[in-house]
Amino acid sequence: QVRHRQSGQIMVLKMNKLTSNRGNMLREGQLMNRLSHPNILRFMGVCVHQGQLHALTEYINGGNLEQLLDSPVPLSWSIRVKLALDIACGLRYLHSKGIFHRDLTSKNCLVRCEANGYTAVVADFGLAEKIPTYSEGSEKEPLAVVGSPYWMAPEVLRGEIYNEKADVFAYGIILCETIARVPADPDYLPRTEDFGLDITTFRTMVEVDCPVTFLQLAFHCCSMDPASRPSFLEITQCLEGVLQHQ
């Protein structure tokens, strides 16, 4: 956490200690500089210190979603649905720019706490990549296997061709964490042998008053078949409907 000498504005300095990381930091900075959305972490610039590039981003005061879900703070269904909608709006915007995140986790979703409630903001674009377009008949080369294992889509873990629908699977895991207030660790969030979600066991962990559409959306996002997962446009529309009925 740093403060700008002239403006007094508080920002976060993302320290980059490895010289080999310089290219990645520059790439992440260039990407973030092109993004502008209330649910995407705001990039403030870079500073150079002893030949190293360090990124400056806005300061978000409430930690991350994983920490909030693990806290004793009561979270109504409308609060949880609103946080889920915030994340979906950020991802809908990101995908509309032809970029997918590839490391979407509850740790990378930050939470701003204000008098009128919580706002979720998507952060950490170090692994973000252009959404691949595979033309018919061409040799399809899978992208590298990257991300955080608990949130990684089955097709990514298997080293297969994957696209932006991998973000939707990760988002589905975040929805499950949010619904049951459990960590994504498979010791707590039940998974199947083939890296999917164990829906039958998970149902037993959900409070009876959970909005049915919210739960069904989580299952839909965690579909084994990437093509059958919804887009973030469909997800935002669904959650707006759920929120209206809360």
Side-chain angles (χ1 to χ4, degrees):
Q1 198 175 316
V2 293
R3 186 187 292 272
H4 193 279
R5 278 196 191 129
Q6 274 134 351
S7 68
Q9 189 174 13
I10 293 173
M11 293 179 269
V12 171
L13 181 66
K14 187 174 178 180
M15 295 294 286
N16 175 29
K17 296 190 173 75
L18 298 172
T19 312
S20 58
N21 255 349
R22 186 174 181 151
N24 287 345
M25 183 66 81
L26 196 57
R27 190 171 154 276
E28 185 177 353
Q30 286 170 332
L31 167 64
M32 286 185 75
N33 200 30
R34 285 169 33 212
L35 305 175
S36 177
H37 188 275
N39 301 113
I40 296 279
L41 187 69
R42 198 149 51 99
F43 179 70
M44 314 294 278
V46 293
C47 66
V48 181
H49 179 63
Q50 295 177 343
Q52 285 290 69
L53 277 177
H54 307 289
L56 286 162
T57 66
E58 67 176 316
Y59 169 64
I60 305 288
N61 66 351
N64 64 39
L65 180 62
E66 183 182 59
Q67 292 165 332
L68 178 64
L69 295 172
D70 190 42
S71 76
V73 175
L75 298 171
S76 66
W77 287 114
S78 58
I79 289 172
R80 291 188 234 184
V81 173
K82 161 68 167 58
L83 286 166
L85 177 58
D86 287 345
I87 297 164
C89 287
L91 267 294
R92 174 181 168 180
Y93 170 79
L94 188 68
H95 286 190
S96 77
K97 295 289 182 188
I99 303 286
F100 69 135
H101 193 288
R102 298 206 302 169
D103 194 20
L104 184 63
T105 72
S106 52
K107 299 174 197 290
N108 289 340
C109 294
L110 307 181
V111 180
R112 184 186 288 115
C113 304
E114 291 169 316
N116 60 348
Y118 298 105
T119 304
V121 176
V122 180
D124 212 331
F125 297 91
L127 292 174
E129 188 60 77
K130 280 182 186 160
I131 294 172
T133 48
Y134 297 109
S135 53
E136 285 300 313
S138 66
E139 191 64 37
K140 296 179 179 180
E141 188 62 40
L143 290 162
V145 176
V146 297
S148 303
Y150 301 159
W151 292 268
M152 282 161 78
E155 65 273 17
V156 179
L157 286 163
R158 290 195 295 258
E160 296 169 1
I161 294 287
Y162 68 92
N163 59 14
E164 76 281 4
K165 290 298 180 78
D167 280 353
V168 178
F169 183 90
Y171 177 78
I173 296 297
I174 292 172
L175 287 184
C176 292
E177 292 177 80
T178 305
I179 287 167
R181 291 189 78 163
V182 293
D185 183 333
D187 285 345
Y188 302 94
L189 182 58
R191 303 292 288 270
T192 57
E193 292 285 320
D194 55 359
F195 313 120
L197 174 70
D198 181 346
I199 290 174
T200 309
T201 308
F202 184 73
R203 278 187 191 277
T204 66
M205 302 165 64
V206 179
E207 296 161 58
V208 289
D209 61 342
C210 173
V212 177
T213 314
F214 194 33
L215 183 60
Q216 288 298 337
L217 178 65
F219 297 158
H220 196 185
C221 291
C222 289
S223 296
M224 292 298 288
D225 174 22
S228 65
R229 294 173 204 151
S231 68
F232 278 105
L233 171 60
E234 293 167 314
I235 292 167
T236 53
Q237 289 170 340
C238 173
L239 291 174
E240 280 162 0
V242 176
L243 210 49
Q244 280 171 359
H245 292 100
Q246 283 305 296

